[in-house]
Amino acid sequence: MTTNRKLLDRFTERVMDLDSPAYGDERERAVSMEASTFGLTAGLYVGLLAAALFSFFGLVLLPVVLLVFSVLPSAVATWYARRQGVNLHKLAENAGSRSTMVAIAIYGVALMLTFAAMAYTVFAGQPLISAPPIEVTPGEGFLGGMAQGAVIGGMVGGLAAIVGGALSFRRANRRRRSGSSTES
Protein backbone atom coordinates (compact mmCIF):
# COMPACT_ATOMS: atom_id res chain seq x y z
CA MET A 1 0.00 0.00 0.00
CA THR A 2 2.85 2.38 0.82
CA THR A 3 4.43 1.78 -2.60
CA ASN A 4 1.14 2.62 -4.32
CA ARG A 5 0.83 5.84 -2.32
CA LYS A 6 4.36 6.90 -3.21
CA LEU A 7 3.79 6.03 -6.87
CA LEU A 8 0.49 7.93 -6.86
CA ASP A 9 2.11 10.90 -5.13
CA ARG A 10 4.93 10.99 -7.71
CA PHE A 11 2.41 10.75 -10.54
CA THR A 12 0.31 13.57 -9.05
CA GLU A 13 3.37 15.77 -8.57
CA ARG A 14 4.43 15.18 -12.16
CA VAL A 15 0.95 16.00 -13.50
CA MET A 16 0.59 19.11 -11.33
CA ASP A 17 4.17 20.37 -11.86
CA LEU A 18 3.62 23.03 -9.21
CA ASP A 19 7.16 24.39 -9.56
CA SER A 20 6.53 25.25 -13.20
CA PRO A 21 6.95 28.90 -14.19
CA ALA A 22 3.57 28.53 -15.90
CA TYR A 23 1.93 29.36 -12.54
CA GLY A 24 3.63 32.76 -12.41
CA ASP A 25 4.23 34.74 -9.25
CA GLU A 26 2.26 34.44 -6.02
CA ARG A 27 -0.61 36.69 -7.18
CA GLU A 28 -0.86 34.98 -10.56
CA ARG A 29 -0.85 31.57 -8.86
CA ALA A 30 -3.70 32.65 -6.57
CA VAL A 31 -5.72 33.96 -9.52
CA SER A 32 -4.98 30.78 -11.48
CA MET A 33 -6.25 28.66 -8.59
CA GLU A 34 -9.37 30.85 -8.25
CA ALA A 35 -10.00 30.52 -11.99
CA SER A 36 -9.60 26.74 -11.74
CA THR A 37 -12.09 26.64 -8.88
CA PHE A 38 -14.53 28.73 -10.89
CA GLY A 39 -14.12 26.38 -13.86
CA LEU A 40 -14.66 23.37 -11.61
CA THR A 41 -17.83 24.91 -10.18
CA ALA A 42 -19.16 25.90 -13.61
CA GLY A 43 -18.46 22.39 -14.91
CA LEU A 44 -20.34 20.89 -11.99
CA TYR A 45 -23.41 23.07 -12.57
CA VAL A 46 -23.40 22.52 -16.36
CA GLY A 47 -23.09 18.76 -15.82
CA LEU A 48 -25.95 18.77 -13.32
CA LEU A 49 -28.16 20.79 -15.66
CA ALA A 50 -27.37 18.53 -18.63
CA ALA A 51 -28.04 15.39 -16.56
CA ALA A 52 -31.41 16.76 -15.44
CA LEU A 53 -32.39 17.79 -18.99
CA PHE A 54 -31.43 14.47 -20.54
CA SER A 55 -33.26 12.55 -17.82
CA PHE A 56 -36.50 14.37 -18.76
CA PHE A 57 -36.19 12.85 -22.26
CA GLY A 58 -36.14 9.34 -20.86
CA LEU A 59 -32.44 8.72 -21.07
CA VAL A 60 -31.25 6.74 -18.08
CA LEU A 61 -27.58 5.94 -18.66
CA LEU A 62 -26.43 9.32 -20.04
CA PRO A 63 -27.50 11.34 -16.96
CA VAL A 64 -25.65 8.92 -14.70
CA VAL A 65 -22.49 9.27 -16.81
CA LEU A 66 -22.86 13.08 -16.78
CA LEU A 67 -23.29 13.08 -13.01
CA VAL A 68 -20.18 10.94 -12.55
CA PHE A 69 -18.15 13.17 -14.88
CA SER A 70 -19.48 16.28 -13.12
CA VAL A 71 -18.65 15.08 -9.62
CA LEU A 72 -15.31 13.46 -10.50
CA PRO A 73 -13.24 16.71 -10.64
CA SER A 74 -14.63 17.77 -7.27
CA ALA A 75 -13.89 14.36 -5.77
CA VAL A 76 -10.34 14.45 -7.13
CA ALA A 77 -9.84 17.99 -5.78
CA THR A 78 -11.05 16.82 -2.36
CA TRP A 79 -8.70 13.83 -2.51
CA TYR A 80 -5.75 16.03 -3.52
CA ALA A 81 -6.41 18.56 -0.76
CA ARG A 82 -6.69 15.78 1.81
CA ARG A 83 -3.31 14.39 0.64
CA GLN A 84 -1.88 17.85 1.36
CA GLY A 85 -3.43 17.90 4.84
CA VAL A 86 -6.41 20.14 4.01
CA ASN A 87 -10.00 19.01 4.58
CA LEU A 88 -12.15 20.96 2.10
CA HIS A 89 -15.40 19.80 3.70
CA LYS A 90 -14.25 21.03 7.10
CA LEU A 91 -13.27 24.38 5.56
CA ALA A 92 -16.75 24.73 4.07
CA GLU A 93 -18.38 23.76 7.37
CA ASN A 94 -16.26 26.23 9.33
CA ALA A 95 -17.05 29.06 6.93
CA GLY A 96 -20.80 28.68 7.45
CA SER A 97 -21.12 30.62 4.22
CA ARG A 98 -24.50 31.22 2.64
CA SER A 99 -23.01 30.48 -0.79
CA THR A 100 -21.93 27.04 0.43
CA MET A 101 -25.47 26.29 1.57
CA VAL A 102 -26.92 27.55 -1.73
CA ALA A 103 -24.48 25.34 -3.68
CA ILE A 104 -25.43 22.29 -1.63
CA ALA A 105 -29.14 23.03 -2.11
CA ILE A 106 -28.72 23.44 -5.89
CA TYR A 107 -26.77 20.20 -6.10
CA GLY A 108 -29.36 18.34 -4.03
CA VAL A 109 -32.32 19.69 -6.04
CA ALA A 110 -30.62 18.82 -9.34
CA LEU A 111 -29.91 15.28 -8.13
CA MET A 112 -33.50 14.83 -6.93
CA LEU A 113 -34.95 16.10 -10.23
CA THR A 114 -32.62 13.96 -12.29
CA PHE A 115 -33.31 10.76 -10.40
CA ALA A 116 -37.03 11.49 -10.15
CA ALA A 117 -37.24 11.86 -13.94
CA MET A 118 -35.20 8.68 -14.38
CA ALA A 119 -37.47 6.86 -11.91
CA TYR A 120 -40.52 8.02 -13.86
CA THR A 121 -39.00 6.63 -17.06
CA VAL A 122 -38.11 3.32 -15.41
CA PHE A 123 -41.48 2.80 -13.69
CA ALA A 124 -43.83 4.33 -16.28
CA GLY A 125 -41.94 3.00 -19.28
CA GLN A 126 -41.94 6.36 -21.02
CA PRO A 127 -40.11 9.66 -20.67
CA LEU A 128 -41.53 12.80 -19.12
CA ILE A 129 -40.97 14.63 -22.42
CA SER A 130 -40.80 13.00 -25.82
CA ALA A 131 -37.67 13.96 -27.69
CA PRO A 132 -38.22 15.33 -31.18
CA PRO A 133 -36.93 12.93 -33.82
CA ILE A 134 -33.71 14.22 -35.32
CA GLU A 135 -32.22 12.28 -38.18
CA VAL A 136 -28.81 13.30 -39.37
CA THR A 137 -27.47 11.84 -42.60
CA PRO A 138 -23.91 12.99 -43.18
CA GLY A 139 -23.68 15.31 -46.16
CA GLU A 140 -27.44 15.61 -46.65
CA GLY A 141 -29.44 18.64 -45.65
CA PHE A 142 -28.65 21.36 -43.17
CA LEU A 143 -27.96 19.11 -40.15
CA GLY A 144 -25.87 16.68 -42.20
CA GLY A 145 -23.67 19.48 -43.51
CA MET A 146 -23.45 21.01 -40.07
CA ALA A 147 -22.38 17.64 -38.59
CA GLN A 148 -19.65 17.26 -41.19
CA GLY A 149 -18.45 20.81 -40.63
CA ALA A 150 -18.42 20.32 -36.86
CA VAL A 151 -16.38 17.13 -37.10
CA ILE A 152 -13.85 18.64 -39.50
CA GLY A 153 -13.72 21.88 -37.49
CA GLY A 154 -13.09 19.90 -34.30
CA MET A 155 -10.21 18.02 -35.90
CA VAL A 156 -8.68 21.23 -37.31
CA GLY A 157 -9.12 22.92 -33.92
CA GLY A 158 -7.39 20.02 -32.15
CA LEU A 159 -4.50 20.15 -34.61
CA ALA A 160 -4.26 23.93 -34.20
CA ALA A 161 -4.12 23.51 -30.42
CA ILE A 162 -1.27 21.00 -30.72
CA VAL A 163 0.73 23.17 -33.15
CA GLY A 164 0.06 26.35 -31.15
CA GLY A 165 1.06 24.67 -27.89
CA ALA A 166 4.27 23.30 -29.41
CA LEU A 167 5.19 26.70 -30.88
CA SER A 168 4.45 28.45 -27.59
CA PHE A 169 6.59 25.91 -25.73
CA ARG A 170 9.49 26.40 -28.13
CA ARG A 171 9.22 30.21 -27.86
CA ALA A 172 9.22 30.03 -24.05
CA ASN A 173 12.27 27.75 -24.06
CA ARG A 174 14.11 30.10 -26.44
CA ARG A 175 13.31 33.08 -24.19
CA ARG A 176 14.37 31.18 -21.09
CA ARG A 177 17.65 30.06 -22.72
CA SER A 178 18.45 33.53 -24.04
CA GLY A 179 17.59 35.06 -20.65
CA SER A 180 19.81 32.61 -18.78
CA SER A 181 22.73 33.11 -21.21
CA THR A 182 22.59 36.90 -20.80
CA GLU A 183 22.56 36.57 -17.01
CA SER A 184 25.74 34.42 -16.97
Side-chain angles (χ1 to χ4, degrees):
M1 190 68 150
T2 316
T3 307
N4 287 342
R5 294 187 102 193
K6 288 181 181 177
L7 178 68
L8 194 55
D9 287 336
R10 285 194 313 264
F11 174 75
T12 302
E13 287 171 10
R14 178 158 296 192
V15 169
M16 293 297 297
D17 194 17
L18 292 175
D19 294 328
S20 168
Y23 289 105
D25 63 22
E26 202 173 300
R27 185 194 70 80
E28 291 166 328
R29 181 181 291 253
V31 171
S32 173
M33 295 303 162
E34 288 172 12
S36 296
T37 301
F38 176 70
L40 179 78
T41 302
L44 176 69
Y45 287 142
V46 167
L48 288 171
L49 178 63
L53 288 175
F54 284 119
S55 69
F56 296 155
F57 291 110
L59 301 170
V60 178
L61 184 59
L62 182 59
V64 172
V65 170
L66 287 170
L67 289 173
V68 168
F69 284 151
S70 296
V71 172
L72 186 62
S74 181
V76 171
T78 301
W79 168 83
Y80 181 83
R82 186 160 288 151
R83 298 283 284 203
Q84 302 301 319
V86 176
N87 186 334
L88 296 180
H89 295 293
K90 189 79 170 156
L91 284 175
E93 285 175 10
N94 290 344
S97 173
R98 182 172 184 254
S99 64
T100 303
M101 183 58 209
V102 169
I104 291 169
I106 289 171
Y107 183 74
V109 167
L111 277 178
M112 285 178 27
L113 285 174
T114 301
F115 283 102
M118 289 170 28
Y120 181 84
T121 299
V122 169
F123 290 114
Q126 63 184 18
L128 281 169
I129 303 169
S130 295
I134 299 176
E135 292 185 30
V136 178
T137 306
E140 290 184 21
F142 177 73
L143 289 178
M146 193 165 70
Q148 283 181 330
V151 168
I152 291 170
M155 291 186 329
V156 170
L159 179 62
I162 292 168
V163 170
L167 290 174
S168 177
F169 178 74
R170 288 181 63 190
R171 214 176 348 213
N173 277 341
R174 252 187 262 125
R175 266 192 243 125
R176 190 172 36 248
R177 272 190 249 126
S178 68
S180 65
S181 65
T182 58
E183 291 172 9
S184 321

